[in-house]
């Protein structure tokens, strides 16, 4: 409130003021992904802009804080290896007001090049490539242990900007697809695991054929002769449907 002295003075009404602490940036399980965390005392949304300097140039999507306020952890991906990036968050309130955080820096790690696919980019006749990135799920049919990264994303100039390590030497993605919530759904050929992961590679949920067998039985599905349906394998592809169901 504001108070002025007499004569002709007085005191205004009161207006609430929220103090927002600066956010912080931390590493994740993925060397190319940062986590930007902020706490807001009220309803709001947050996005993060990032880039090689304070001009930024790239940004995440906008996500809401918990209802009534709380902490939001935003994963920031799309950065090249061994590079220092500047980033800052913008908090937007329901009335349109904004809080812009101070600049932070984050340096990405570097993967051993021997575990990465060799990528070469050629632009025929100098043509401009279509916008976007290339997301690869690669198969390596080899005997013995395989430690190569087989899920990776590259920009249009051939720079690695994201990868997924399935944490098992012979897990091969077949395939991996982006979900509406920003996570990925991946089918792994070793053990036929279907797994939802976030950008940092953290497992959100997963199931195997034995789980699907149990769910079918619990839902009352059987073979035509009444015997139990047994799922032995899930592989090659899946299709996400608009109603939230998935075809395997």
């Amino acid at each position: 409130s504001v108070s002025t002295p007499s004569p002709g003075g007085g005191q205004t009404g009161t207006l609430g003021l929220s103090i927002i602490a600066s956010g912080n940036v931390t590493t994740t399980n993925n060397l190319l992904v940062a986590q930007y965390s902020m706490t807001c005392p009220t309803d709001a949304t947050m996005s993060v802009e990032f880039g090689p300097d304070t001009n930024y140039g790239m940004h995440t999507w906008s996500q809401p804080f918990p209802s009534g306020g709380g902490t939001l952890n935003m994963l920031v991906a799309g950065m090249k290896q061994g590079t220092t990036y500047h980033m800052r968050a913008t908090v937007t309130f329901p009335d349109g007001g904004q809080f812009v955080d101070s600049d932070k820096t984050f340096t990405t790690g570097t993967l051993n090049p021997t575990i990465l696919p060799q990528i070469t980019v050629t632009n025929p006749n100098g043509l401009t490539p279509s916008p976007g990135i290339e997301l690869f799920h690669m198969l390596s049919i080899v005997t013995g242990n395989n430690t190569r990264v087989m899920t990776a994303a590259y920009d249009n100039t051939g720079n690695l900007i994201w990868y997924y390590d399935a944490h098992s030497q012979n897990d091969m993605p077949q395939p991996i697809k982006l979900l509406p919530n920003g996570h990925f759904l991946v089918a792994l050929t070793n053990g036929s695991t279907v797994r939802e992961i976030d950008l940092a590679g953290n497992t959100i949920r997963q199931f195997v054929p034995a789980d699907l067998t149990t769910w079918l039985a619990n839902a009352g599905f059987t073979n035509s002769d009444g015997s139990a349906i047994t799922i032995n394998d899930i592989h090659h592809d899946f299709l996400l449907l608009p109603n939230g169901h998935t075809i395997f």
Side-chain angles (χ1 to χ4, degrees), residues 3 5 9 25 40 70 76 89 91 110 122 135 139 141 146 155 181 241:
S3 180
V25 178
C40 183
V76 182
V91 178
T110 301
T122 302
L135 176 63
L139 300 181
I141 310 302
N146 185 4
D155 65 17
N181 64 358
L241 302 181

Side-chain angles (χ1 to χ4, degrees), residues 18-199:
S18 296
I19 305 300
I20 300 178
S22 182
N24 63 85
V25 178
T26 55
T27 59
T28 68
N29 293 327
N30 190 308
L31 297 177
L32 305 184
V33 178
Q35 178 174 281
Y36 201 120
S37 302
M38 285 200 70
T39 300
C40 183
T42 186
D43 290 336
T45 60
M46 183 179 88
S47 63
V48 177
E49 55 183 341
F50 62 102
D53 52 39
T54 52
N55 291 318
Y56 305 108
M58 294 177 283
H59 61 85
T60 67
W61 62 355
S62 180
Q63 288 292 288
F65 285 89
S67 179
T71 299
L72 176 61
N73 298 317
M74 180 78 77
L75 294 174
V76 182
M79 298 178 284
K80 297 185 291 186
Q81 299 185 82
T83 305
T84 297
Y85 284 82
H86 291 260
M87 57 184 65
R88 67 178 181 182
T90 298
V91 178
T92 303
F93 301 96
D95 64 359
Q98 290 186 323
F99 169 81
V100 179
D101 199 9
S102 58
D103 180 72
K104 321 289 183 189
T105 58
F106 178 82
T107 301
T108 57
T110 301
L111 278 71
N112 185 334
T114 63
I115 69 173
L116 295 173
Q118 302 303 306
I119 299 294
T120 300
V121 176
T122 302
N123 293 332
N125 301 321
L127 295 175
T128 300
S130 299
I133 67 170
E134 299 291 337
L135 176 63
F136 296 95
H137 65 97
M138 296 158 282
L139 300 181
S140 180
I141 310 302
V142 296
T143 57
N145 291 332
N146 185 4
T147 59
R148 298 180 66 86
V149 169
M150 287 177 284
T151 308
Y154 288 80
D155 65 17
N156 282 333
T157 58
N159 294 303
L160 177 73
I161 57 172
W162 186 79
Y163 68 95
Y164 174 58
D165 182 354
H167 311 302
S168 177
Q169 290 180 323
N170 288 314
D171 277 346
M172 294 184 288
Q174 201 178 29
I176 181 170
K177 297 184 180 182
L178 186 64
L179 297 173
N181 64 358
H183 295 164
F184 289 98
L185 194 64
V186 56
L188 300 171
T189 59
N190 183 28
S192 299
T193 301
V194 177
R195 180 180 297 164
E196 180 180 346
I197 60 170
D198 64 16
L199 282 170

